[in-house]
């Protein structure tokens, strides 16, 4: 949900997986390996948020950070990013944020 828009805008992505569910991102990485993307356009890193996530959030090489996670994680990322005035987008507290339009097939949407 975040990588595709970045790629369409011509940007590279560094994805820090959840330390609790990294395999989901690894499966996604396998799919990216099947398409003709230049090496280094999509990068997957793993580790604890307090270590790897904090290093990414504090890096002056990062132009924008998008986080889906807890309020605690959002506060930490926001504070680290502020040191470099890095743009931050936070989706906090939710498990699966989606928009359901009025004309959707609600039964199919709920099953998805």
């Amino acid at each position: 949900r975040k990588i595709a828009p970045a790629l369409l805008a011509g940007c590279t992505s560094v994805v820090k997986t959840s330390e609790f569910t990294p395999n989901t991102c690894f499966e996604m990485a396998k799919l990216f390996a099947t398409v003709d993307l230049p090496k280094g356009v999509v990068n997957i890193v793993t580790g604890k948020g307090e270590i790897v996530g904090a290093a990414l959030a504090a890096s002056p090489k990062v132009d924008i950070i998008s986080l889906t996670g807890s309020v605690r994680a959002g506060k930490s990322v926001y504070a680290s990013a502020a040191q470099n005035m890095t743009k931050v987008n936070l989706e906090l507290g939710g498990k699966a944020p989606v928009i359901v339009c009025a004309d959707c097939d609600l039964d199919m949407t709920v099953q998805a």
Side-chain angles (χ1 to χ4, degrees):
R1 151 176 99 225
K2 297 179 182 189
I3 298 172
L7 294 177
L8 289 171
C11 301
T12 60
S13 290
V14 176
V15 180
K16 202 291 273 171
T17 67
S18 164
E19 60 214 56
F20 304 109
T21 58
N23 289 343
T24 302
C25 206
F26 294 151
E27 292 301 316
M28 184 181 60
K30 288 180 189 176
L31 293 173
F32 279 116
T34 66
V35 297
D36 193 26
L37 287 175
K39 202 171 188 157
V41 170
V42 177
N43 306 277
I44 311 292
V45 297
T46 62
K48 291 191 174 196
E50 294 86 2
I51 299 168
V52 178
L56 287 169
S59 174
K61 295 181 178 182
V62 174
D63 292 325
I64 188 167
I65 299 167
S66 182
L67 169 80
T68 301
S70 69
V71 172
R72 182 182 62 81
K75 287 179 179 180
S76 176
V77 164
Y78 202 79
S80 293
Q83 301 304 311
N84 297 309
M85 297 299 292
T86 303
K87 295 175 196 156
V88 177
N89 173 273
L90 302 172
E91 280 182 49
L92 305 178
K95 294 290 182 192
V98 295
I99 297 173
V100 178
C101 297
D103 62 344
C104 79
D105 179 336
L106 191 56
D107 291 330
M108 184 178 78
T109 302
V110 169
Q111 291 178 5

